[in-house]
């Protein structure tokens, strides 16, 4: 690319070049710079997956509408947490955000390719991830997506597994009437 072509680069090309340059500078300095939420969100968007970007944003942001943002005093007491000492935590730990972004991008790209099995696998890994955290409602969200994908594909075995996982997840949140 010649000197004349530099001004003709797209925004995406300029942004990627800027990110690569910053990474090289950090590597040259011997510093490991972990990606933050904003950088990971941008990576999802730059990979051509706006759906993954939106999901990543909502899943990592408080007040995402999932219903697990502000526990009631009763919920805090049930967890043996004094309500006056409760501090709001990040929705997803920074260490887990890379996995979250990668899984969402994988699901988005697999959906575009028409690879329904890969979409289901990505959603199942996300559901199981959230089932192992203090975000049971987010696990429910992804288990429902697993069921939707299995139903759309006509995969009876995957539907049975998704329903079993949904039942277990509903028990965790105390909603056994569902």
């Amino acid at each position: 690319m010649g000197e004349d072509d530099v001004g003709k680069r797209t925004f995406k090309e300029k942004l990627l070049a800027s990110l690569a340059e910053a990474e090289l500078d950090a590597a040259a300095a011997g510093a490991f710079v972990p990606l933050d939420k904003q950088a990971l969100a941008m990576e999802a968007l730059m990979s051509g997956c706006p759906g993954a970007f939106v999901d990543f944003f909502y899943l990592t942001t408080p007040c995402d509408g999932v219903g697990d943002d502000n526990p009631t005093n009763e919920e805090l007491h049930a967890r043996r947490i004094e309500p006056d000492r409760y501090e709001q935590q990040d929705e997803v730990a920074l260490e887990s955000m890379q996995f979250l972004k990668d899984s969402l991008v994988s699901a988005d790209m697999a959906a575009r390719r028409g690879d329904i099995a890969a979409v289901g696998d990505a959603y199942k890994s996300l559901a199981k991830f959230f089932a192992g955290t203090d975000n049971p409602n987010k696990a429910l969200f992804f288990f429902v997506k697993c069921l939707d994908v299995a139903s759309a594909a006509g995969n009876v075995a995957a539907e049975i597994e998704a329903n079993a996982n949904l039942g277990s997840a509903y028990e965790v949140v105390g909603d056994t009437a569902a």
Side-chain angles (χ1 to χ4, degrees), residues 52-163:
F53 167 79
V54 170
D55 287 344
F56 181 84
F57 174 79
Y58 281 115
L59 289 166
T60 59
T61 303
C63 302
D64 55 13
V66 173
D68 61 349
D69 296 321
N70 296 313
T72 64
N73 285 346
E74 293 81 23
E75 291 171 328
L76 290 172
H77 284 297
R79 294 186 204 164
R80 295 189 170 100
I81 298 172
E82 188 61 41
D84 295 337
R85 296 177 187 241
Y86 174 75
E87 291 182 29
Q88 182 75 28
Q89 301 293 317
D90 286 337
E91 287 289 297
V92 176
L94 184 60
E95 309 82 56
S96 302
M97 286 187 189
Q98 181 75 47
F99 165 76
L100 178 63
K101 190 260 318 172
D102 290 345
S103 297
L104 291 168
V105 167
S106 294
D108 198 320
M109 290 181 157
R112 276 197 233 148
R113 288 190 314 267
D115 187 352
I116 301 301
V119 174
D121 289 344
Y123 287 154
K124 184 166 54 171
S125 69
L126 286 163
K128 290 193 181 276
F129 166 76
F130 282 116
T133 67
D134 286 338
N135 288 306
N137 290 318
K138 287 183 173 76
L140 278 170
F141 174 78
F142 283 107
F143 281 133
V144 168
K145 283 185 167 263
C146 289
L147 180 59
D148 292 343
V149 168
S151 297
N155 185 338
V156 177
E159 284 184 70
I160 292 169
E161 180 183 7
N163 274 312

Side-chain angles (χ1 to χ4, degrees), residues 131 136 139-140 143 161-176:
L140 278 170
F143 281 133
E161 180 183 7
N163 274 312
N165 288 331
L166 266 172
S168 297
Y170 277 120
E171 282 182 341
V172 168
V173 297
D175 185 0
T176 55

Side-chain angles (χ1 to χ4, degrees), residues 23-44:
E23 288 173 358
L24 287 174
D25 289 345
F32 172 72
V33 181
L35 293 175
D36 62 359
K37 182 168 52 172
Q38 181 180 3
L40 290 166
M42 288 301 297
E43 280 185 3

